[in-house]
Structures are given as C-alpha cells and as structure tokens.
Amino acid sequence: MDPRTRWQRLVWTLPWLLFQVFPLAELVSTPRPAAVRVVAVLGLVAFTVVYLAVFNRMSVRGCGVPWRQLAVVAVLGVGLAVWLGPAWAGLMIYVAAAAAVGLPERWVWPAVGGAAAVCASVLAAHDMLGELFILPLMCVLTGFALRGIRFLVSVNAELTEAREELARAAVAEERLRFARDLHDLLGHSLSLIALKSELAGRLAERDPARARAEMADVESTARRALAEVREAVSGYRQIGVALALAEARAALSAADITLRAPSRVPELPGPVDAVLGWVVREATTNVLRHSGARTVVVTLAVADEDAALTVTDDGRGPAGGAPGAGLSGLEERLAARGGRLDTGEAPGGGFRLAARVPAHARVSAP
C-alpha cells in the first residue's frame, strides 16, 4: 500500500489520543512513588505504540488478525485501568476501538462489551460510575462507529476492485472487437486484391486492356481497404447489406463465380443492417478463399420479428470442415445483437451460412 495512505490513517487516529490527557494529568497531579510513575509512563507509551500499530496494520489489505498486538493492548489497558483507577479507565475506549478494527465479526462485540464492562467496574469500584458513566457508553459507541467505518472501507475497496475489473474487461472486449473488425475488413479486401492481381497477371499478355482494368480495381480496392482500416481505427466503420452485396458481386464476378442476390435490399435498422453486412462480407471472403464454388445464392427475408439472411454456395465449405476466426467473429457479432449463426452443408451439397437477428436488435458493442 502507498505509504501516504498509512500516514493519513495514522494522522486520522491522532485526535483519539487526546483522551490520554486525563491519565497524564492524573499522573502529574497525584502524588505517587517515582517507580510507579515510571512504570505507568512506560506502560502508557507501550500501549499507545501498539494501539497505533494495530491501526497501521489494518491499512494493509489481506493481512491477518493482529492477535498479538490486540492482546498487548487489552492486557496493558485493563492492567493500567485497574491499577491506577478512574482517570485511566478511559483507556478501555482504545481497547474497544482496537477490537472493532482488528477482530473478526464474531469477536468484536464480546470484546467491546468486555471493555465497557471493565471501564464500568473500575468506575464503580471508586464510586464514580454516576459521574463518568459516559466512558463505558463511549466504549460501545466507539465500537459501533469504527465497525461502521471498517465496513465502509471494505465496501469501497471492493467497489474499487470491481471498477478495475470492469475496466480490464472493457479493454479486453475492445481488443476483441478491433481484432474482429480488422480480420473482416482486411481478410475480404486482401483476398480480392490477390484474386484480381492473379487475374491481371494471366491477362497481361493476351488482353492488356483487361489487365490494366483489373489492376485499376486492385488499386481502388487497396485504397478502399486503407480507408476502411482508418475508419475502423476511429471506431466509425459500418457496412450495410447493400454495400456488402455490391462488393461481393464485383469480387465474385472477377473470380468467374455467379452471384444470385436480391436486386433491392429492404430498409433495415442500423444495427441489423450492419451485422448482416458483415455476414455477407465474411461469406464472400470464405467463398473466394477456399470454397471452390461456382455459384453463390444470397436470400434476405425480413419479418416483423426478425431478419434472416442466408448465403449458400456449391463449394466445399471451410477448410478442414471447421469454422475459422471469421465465422467465430460473426457468431459474436450476432450474439451481441440477440441473433444467431447457423452453418453446415447445404441441401444438395455445398455450404450454407444462415444468420438470424431480431428486426429491432438492441444496440450493444459490436
């Protein structure tokens, strides 16, 4: 713990030491043998040092119960009060305070009650309980006050830990979101760039004009990918179904893959349009990378309760038959909107990817 916190706690306890004015005044004003005075002063100094050590120890979270220090405080406090009389009975307030901050819950109130009882007994033995009845009461009130403060400190520490944990979770979630966006953005764009570059290389000799057109598309795609990455870094990237289908049509056409998709996309709420746009993009990327498909069919159905988008191809599906990072990212995106993703073999062969999301999806982190 920061040493400044310990000093602050120590300074906070110093006003309580004003109660020691009474035993010191009694020690000066009452004639006593020198040996008694020396022992009394040493006992009071030792009592005060150990008492402050209890409070200082409790400023360190996770420490055990300071049984030894508490025992010393109790023995010295009771011994001095019983030996030297009513002026020293106020030390039992310190005993109650140390018990309230240092003992487990089940031992606090027996210890506080015992301190109050000792204080009352010392006063009664000298016929001063009526005059100084406030001292036993102060023992009990001090126990209540410091126990409440200890509870508030504990709750505040737990809240601080909870805030720190939430902050760490938020950072981790943001990292996952950013990694997912970069994968979806760059995976699609780089696949398209590689495909068109390969096509331009094949056309370079027999159709230079077409090759130049393909390289122009490569340049355009690269510039668009750079802009998308910049937008993603800024947190503003959002792709809709219509734009995703337009990109898919251009990319699949360059690979001689036929795309059958709706010519008109119905109006969708922003979150729904965005998440289904990512579905189209990821499906297109997978087709270009490893499906070997020749035909891709996209259907979009919007009902009152939900929107369903299905992408079916006649290829082999994901490599190895296992979903990759892109499909896992889609599942996370859809789950964040209350939707789900289903993948598997299409009827008659090929691969089928179906996404369903509530038509009025709640807004949450993508």
Side-chain angles (χ1 to χ4, degrees):
M1 171 166 284
D2 191 338
R4 291 174 297 179
T5 304
R6 294 187 179 183
W7 280 110
Q8 289 169 0
R9 184 180 289 268
L10 184 61
V11 170
W12 183 82
T13 61
L14 289 179
W16 288 85
L17 300 182
L18 293 176
F19 284 101
Q20 294 190 3
V21 170
F22 301 103
L24 290 174
E26 190 272 345
L27 195 61
V28 171
S29 62
T30 302
R32 295 183 186 276
V36 172
R37 292 188 176 187
V38 170
V39 173
V41 170
L42 291 178
L44 184 61
V45 170
F47 175 87
T48 304
V49 170
V50 179
Y51 169 78
L52 294 177
V54 171
F55 273 82
N56 186 56
R57 178 181 174 85
M58 295 312 297
S59 68
V60 181
R61 294 203 65 214
C63 66
V65 178
W67 293 107
R68 294 180 180 177
Q69 292 93 327
L70 289 172
V72 171
V73 169
V75 170
L76 289 176
V78 173
L80 290 171
V82 172
W83 178 35
L84 297 172
W88 295 71
L91 295 182
M92 302 314 298
I93 297 175
Y94 297 99
V95 175
V101 300
L103 286 176
E105 182 68 32
R106 61 177 178 171
W107 297 108
V108 169
W109 299 117
V112 171
V118 170
C119 183
S121 299
V122 171
L123 295 175
H126 292 79
D127 296 325
M128 299 184 66
L129 182 58
E131 299 177 21
L132 298 176
F133 72 93
I134 190 65
L135 293 181
L137 182 60
M138 283 289 293
C139 292
V140 177
L141 294 178
T142 299
F144 274 107
L146 291 182
R147 195 63 190 176
I149 292 174
R150 180 178 175 181
F151 174 76
L152 291 177
V153 170
S154 175
V155 170
N156 183 66
E158 292 177 0
L159 289 175
T160 300
E161 288 184 355
R163 286 196 297 268
E164 292 174 353
E165 182 62 29
L166 288 174
R168 288 192 293 268
V171 170
E173 178 63 24
E174 181 61 17
R175 287 174 177 171
L176 288 175
R177 183 198 69 82
F178 189 68
R180 197 165 55 230
D181 282 359
L182 284 183
H183 173 276
D184 294 346
L185 287 168
L186 294 181
H188 175 84
S189 298
L190 294 179
S191 296
L192 181 58
I193 289 172
L195 177 68
K196 286 185 169 290
S197 298
E198 181 182 355
L199 179 60
R202 293 199 304 266
L203 295 173
E205 294 185 359
R206 70 172 184 266
D207 193 347
R210 175 76 184 280
R212 285 193 297 272
E214 294 296 338
M215 289 308 298
D217 286 345
V218 168
E219 180 184 0
S220 174
T221 302
R223 293 183 182 278
R224 185 169 64 250
L226 178 60
E228 290 171 348
V229 170
R230 287 173 175 168
E231 290 174 359
V233 170
S234 302
Y236 296 117
R237 175 61 184 166
Q238 179 166 306
I239 183 172
V241 176
L243 177 58
L245 286 175
E247 292 179 347
R249 193 177 302 278
L252 295 174
S253 175
D256 293 327
I257 300 175
T258 302
L259 173 64
R260 299 173 185 171
S263 57
R264 180 180 176 276
V265 176
E267 184 176 354
L268 297 168
V272 178
D273 191 34
V275 73
L276 293 183
W278 286 114
V279 172
V280 173
R281 217 171 200 211
E282 178 60 25
T284 304
T285 300
N286 288 337
V287 169
L288 291 172
R289 281 180 174 174
H290 39 58
S291 75
R294 306 314 305 164
T295 303
V296 177
V297 179
V298 178
T299 61
L300 176 61
V302 181
D304 293 336
E305 296 184 355
D306 54 26
L309 186 143
T310 303
V311 182
T312 307
D313 63 60
D314 56 0
R316 297 184 298 271
L327 294 181
S328 298
L330 282 184
E331 290 180 347
E332 295 173 2
R333 290 180 187 276
L334 288 165
R337 306 297 184 191
R340 68 178 188 274
L341 179 70
D342 297 318
T343 59
E345 185 177 352
F351 187 72
R352 177 177 177 272
L353 184 152
R356 186 176 295 272
V357 63
H360 300 285
R362 63 184 183 276
V363 178
S364 61

